[in-house]
């Protein structure tokens, strides 16, 4: 059972895999040469000798492919095509996925005969992103256009991971973070055009040309609150998309027509 571990770090996961499937079946890559050397020393001390390489996990390890299992121990924004191609038919890839709209969710994907990878999310997970998948910092929000109003949507309702998965597909390019501000549950939204929204304590302040809070309110109403197990991912040669309930039910991004039709909604009540 060839097994690829996409980030070696200390060698701990590689050691566990060696004990489980045999060292001859384990390959592990690490982009940082210092960490890879440390992992090699740790594994040598345990008498374990999997295949270790200093390489970019995004590219996989083609000369050892195909793999029956691929495990990524760093978060991915998209499943890299080299990893998808190196997975054997019927093979399984498990990876923590991350997006600008949510912190992280683990997906289990199986390679179908046509080469597509399809599977479901099954729980939340927060991992360090792969280096090439890390986000650049957005510019400042457009504070000159601040508008404050009451909001009937409690930010607490946006925390469940299922909504974050749905929102990431419907509102591409919008970032969502949440936490406490002055002991009040708060959600921050921001887009790359200077639009932003800050909601908490029954009020929301929006900035910039888009009313991001209106958009999130609309998606909260539309998504119907299924749990995380309703969501999955399909990866093809052309890219990847999230789906809900079935792989054929891709979640489409909001169109500009939908945004115009929605207009300004000042209050939402469930």
């Amino acid at each position: 059972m060839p097994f690829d571990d996409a980030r070696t770090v200390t060698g701990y996961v590689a050691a566990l895999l060696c004990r489980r499937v045999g060292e001859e079946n384990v390959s592990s890559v690490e982009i940082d040469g210092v960490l890879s050397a440390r992992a090699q020393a740790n594994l040598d001390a345990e008498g374990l000798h999997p295949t270790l390489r200093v390489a970019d996990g995004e590219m996989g390890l083609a000369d050892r492919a195909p793999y029956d299992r691929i495990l990524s121990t760093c978060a991915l924004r998209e499943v890299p095509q080299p990893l998808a191609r190196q997975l054997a038919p019927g093979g399984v890839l498990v990876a923590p996925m991350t997006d600008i709209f949510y912190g992280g969710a683990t997906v289990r994907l199986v390679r179908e005969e046509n080469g597509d990878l399809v599977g479901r999310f099954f729980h939340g997970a927060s991992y360090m992103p792969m280096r090439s998948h890390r986000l650049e910092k957005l510019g400042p929000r457009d504070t000159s256009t601040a508008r404050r109003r009451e909001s009937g949507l409690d930010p607490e309702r946006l925390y469940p991971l299922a909504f974050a998965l749905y929102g990431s597909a419907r509102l591409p390019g919008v970032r969502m973070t949440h936490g406490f501000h002055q002991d009040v549950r708060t959600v921050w939204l921001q887009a790359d055009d200077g639009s932003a929204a800050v909601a908490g304590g029954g009020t929301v302040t929006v900035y910039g040309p888009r009313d991001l809070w209106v958009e999130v309110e609309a998606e909260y109403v539309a998504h119907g609150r299924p749990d995380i197990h309703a969501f999955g991912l399909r990866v093809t040669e052309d890219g990847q998309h999230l789906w809900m309930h079935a792989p054929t039910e891709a979640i489409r991004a909001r169109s500009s027509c939908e945004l115009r039709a929605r207009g300004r909604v000042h209050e939402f009540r469930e």
Side-chain angles (χ1 to χ4, degrees):
M1 179 187 287
F3 202 120
D4 185 30
D5 175 18
R7 189 163 182 264
T8 310
V9 198
T10 65
Y12 178 73
V13 173
L16 294 178
L17 295 176
C18 288
R19 298 295 192 195
R20 183 66 181 267
V21 301
E23 61 185 32
E24 70 279 6
N25 292 316
V26 177
S27 303
S28 187
V29 298
E30 170 60 59
I31 197 170
D32 188 310
V34 174
L35 290 178
S36 184
R38 184 182 304 165
Q40 183 75 69
N42 291 339
L43 289 161
D44 287 346
E46 294 297 321
L48 299 172
H49 306 287
T51 297
L52 298 187
R53 299 280 179 81
V54 177
D56 187 345
E58 187 170 44
M59 302 307 295
L61 202 56
D63 64 328
R64 296 272 293 173
Y67 298 101
D68 296 310
R69 301 288 187 269
I70 295 177
L71 173 65
S72 176
T73 50
C74 55
L76 309 175
R77 289 186 62 198
E78 294 186 350
V79 175
Q81 285 297 326
L83 292 186
R85 296 189 192 105
Q86 290 169 27
L87 191 63
V92 176
L93 182 149
V94 175
M97 303 296 295
T98 189
D99 190 86
I100 60 178
F101 201 83
Y102 61 86
T106 304
V107 71
R108 180 183 186 276
L109 302 172
V110 178
R111 179 165 180 165
E112 300 183 328
E113 289 297 329
N114 66 359
D116 291 358
L117 274 60
V118 180
R120 292 183 182 272
F121 292 91
F122 56 94
H123 61 61
S126 181
Y127 280 68
M128 179 184 295
M130 184 173 283
R131 290 191 184 185
S132 57
H133 292 216
R134 295 175 188 176
L135 295 170
E136 294 183 3
K137 187 176 181 179
L138 289 177
R141 60 193 177 194
D142 182 2
T143 57
S144 67
T145 59
R147 295 94 72 192
R148 188 171 185 268
R149 64 176 185 268
E150 293 184 357
S151 171
L153 176 59
D154 185 346
E156 186 84 35
R157 296 178 183 174
L158 304 184
Y159 289 6
L161 183 54
F163 176 74
L165 286 167
Y166 182 84
S168 71
R170 289 289 289 166
L171 301 171
V174 176
R175 302 189 188 188
M176 181 176 76
T177 56
H178 48 73
F180 285 91
H181 177 65
Q182 297 179 346
D183 296 327
V184 175
R185 286 279 191 181
T186 304
V187 161
W188 293 266
L189 302 166
Q190 190 172 5
D192 58 9
D193 63 355
S195 297
V198 181
T203 65
V204 58
T205 303
V206 296
Y207 310 85
R210 293 171 63 182
D211 190 327
L212 295 181
W213 194 247
V214 162
E215 295 178 33
V216 166
E217 285 179 336
E219 297 311 328
Y220 178 79
V221 172
H223 100 291
R225 269 79 75 195
D227 67 23
I228 186 175
H229 301 96
F231 294 89
L233 190 70
R234 178 182 288 275
V235 180
T236 71
E237 287 284 347
D238 299 322
Q240 67 181 37
H241 64 252
L242 281 162
W243 50 264
M244 186 167 66
H245 301 309
T248 54
E249 299 181 29
I251 305 171
R252 304 297 182 189
R254 284 173 71 90
S255 67
S256 57
C257 291
E258 285 180 288
L259 296 178
R260 287 195 296 269
R262 180 71 182 176
R264 284 184 61 86
V265 176
H266 293 278
E267 188 173 22
F268 164 77
R269 298 289 181 187
E270 189 174 38

